[in-house]
Amino acid sequence: MKLKIVCSMYMFLLALIPSTAFSFVNQVGDSILIVNEHNLTISGLNIFEGNITIVNSSNIVIENNNILNSFYFGIFVYNSINVTISNNIIKNSYYDGISIRNSKYVEIKYNIITNNTNGNGISVWDDSKYININNNKLLYNLYGIFVLSSSNVSIFNNSLSNIYHYGVYLYNSSLTKVPNNSIRNSDVGIEIIMGNLISIQSNAILNNLVGIYIGENIGNLTIIGNLIQNSKYFGVLIYNYPTTFIFKTNAFMNNVLNVFYAYNSTIPKISVSNSTILTTIKQSDSHLVKLSPIIPLLLLIMIVFLVYLFLFRKGRR
């Protein structure tokens, strides 16, 4: 209860900070608060039970810091522009490792974000735009990467594993690209609810309960060239069919069921004719797939041989 009160007061104080008028860099304990600052680098700090908060600022670099056991977010960026967050280690934050709110042109790269069990590894929300999230390693977070009501977000080359709920969660996002990520050992690899112009491409989505979940109110969705493997329940679970849906060249391997249409058998069926389907073949026996086209021919040859052998013996009698 004490922690919730502290966090609520923290947000209230941020709301009171004017967007202009004054600027300062303040340190309370191990926490650093930066307001209305420009062209500033924060580097090489060891922060224990504190965090870094950026408000109404621009051209800020946060790099090579260790942030451990924050009572709030590890790094919080609010109403700021041109912020780079790179090569930080963020562990055991009470909420999100990195949270971006109402900000633009933010790059989050080469960070290690772990054990934020009450929040997300990275969250982007409140109409943030032009956000690049790349080459980060996220482990043991409640959600991996969470995008809410934001646009022009690119999520690529990240490694997400042992996420408790969703590896990548997109809610009411638009112009969002998710290519070349590794997502494994989560409840759902990628979940999409609401939004438009979303591309999911060339990801390795492995060992999740559900590989990709497609929810309601999605405009244009593209899912191309992904490997979806070892899903305990479904490779792709479709709750509602997107208005425009491109689905091709995906590879399914060892999923209990490749595609499942929840609650509605009348929605259009996606075509998997141009995808690789290896559902019933164990990975160690995948060489059998190459033999499957010639099995009927081998059976026919065997039958002909047995008939010939039978007639040959009958003729000799």
Side-chain angles (χ1 to χ4, degrees), residues 159-225:
S159 174
L160 302 97
S161 62
N162 297 98
I163 306 300
Y164 295 109
H165 291 310
Y166 310 105
V168 175
Y169 186 83
L170 308 178
Y171 188 95
N172 192 29
S173 65
S174 60
L175 293 166
T176 301
K177 298 178 180 180
V178 186
N180 299 309
N181 299 280
S182 172
I183 306 169
R184 60 183 71 212
N185 299 323
S186 306
D187 283 351
V188 180
I190 299 174
E191 177 152 338
I192 310 154
I193 298 177
M194 303 174 63
N196 189 31
L197 297 171
I198 297 169
S199 173
I200 310 296
Q201 189 167 351
S202 302
N203 299 282
I205 305 170
L206 315 175
N207 304 320
N208 304 285
L209 299 183
V210 175
I212 299 175
Y213 176 89
I214 300 170
E216 66 272 19
N217 298 322
I218 299 173
N220 188 309
L221 174 62
T222 299
I223 298 177
I224 296 177

Side-chain angles (χ1 to χ4, degrees), residues 178-304:
V178 186
N180 299 309
N181 299 280
S182 172
I183 306 169
R184 60 183 71 212
N185 299 323
S186 306
D187 283 351
V188 180
I190 299 174
E191 177 152 338
I192 310 154
I193 298 177
M194 303 174 63
N196 189 31
L197 297 171
I198 297 169
S199 173
I200 310 296
Q201 189 167 351
S202 302
N203 299 282
I205 305 170
L206 315 175
N207 304 320
N208 304 285
L209 299 183
V210 175
I212 299 175
Y213 176 89
I214 300 170
E216 66 272 19
N217 298 322
I218 299 173
N220 188 309
L221 174 62
T222 299
I223 298 177
I224 296 177
N226 301 280
L227 170 62
I228 304 172
Q229 180 176 338
N230 294 335
S231 300
K232 186 174 181 180
Y233 299 132
F234 314 112
V236 176
L237 172 57
I238 301 176
Y239 184 86
N240 274 4
Y241 204 84
T243 304
T244 303
F245 193 16
I246 300 173
F247 186 94
K248 61 183 181 180
T249 60
N250 299 287
F252 293 92
M253 180 179 287
N254 297 338
N255 305 291
V256 170
L257 189 63
N258 288 328
V259 180
F260 180 72
Y261 301 87
Y263 312 117
N264 192 342
S265 60
T266 63
I267 61 178
K269 298 296 187 287
I270 63 176
S271 172
V272 294
S273 60
N274 54 5
S275 298
T276 303
I277 309 296
L278 304 174
T279 308
T280 60
I281 306 299
K282 294 182 180 179
Q283 191 170 4
S284 59
D285 297 331
S286 58
H287 60 280
L288 293 177
V289 177
K290 298 178 181 179
L291 296 177
S292 58
I294 67 172
I295 287 176
L297 179 60
L298 292 175
L299 290 174
L300 179 60
I301 292 172
M302 185 179 295
I303 291 170
V304 171

Side-chain angles (χ1 to χ4, degrees), residues 48-82:
F48 184 75
E49 295 186 345
N51 66 352
I52 298 173
T53 297
I54 311 295
V55 180
N56 302 333
S57 298
S58 66
N59 301 319
I60 305 297
V61 176
I62 305 171
E63 62 182 9
N64 301 316
N65 301 288
N66 295 319
I67 303 172
L68 309 178
N69 302 328
S70 170
F71 68 88
Y72 194 54
F73 303 128
I75 297 173
F76 180 45
V77 178
Y78 175 72
N79 195 35
S80 296
I81 187 169
N82 291 329

Side-chain angles (χ1 to χ4, degrees), residues 8 29-30 33 39 42 46 52 57 71 91-92 113 130 135 138 141 151 169 172-173 215 219 226 229 232 262 264 294:
S8 297
D30 269 2
L33 175 61
N39 305 307
I42 303 170
N46 291 309
I52 298 173
S57 298
F71 68 88
K91 294 183 178 180
N92 301 321
I113 305 170
Y130 308 108
N135 293 289
L138 296 93
N141 300 289
S151 63
Y169 186 83
N172 192 29
S173 65
N226 301 280
Q229 180 176 338
K232 186 174 181 180
N264 192 342
I294 67 172

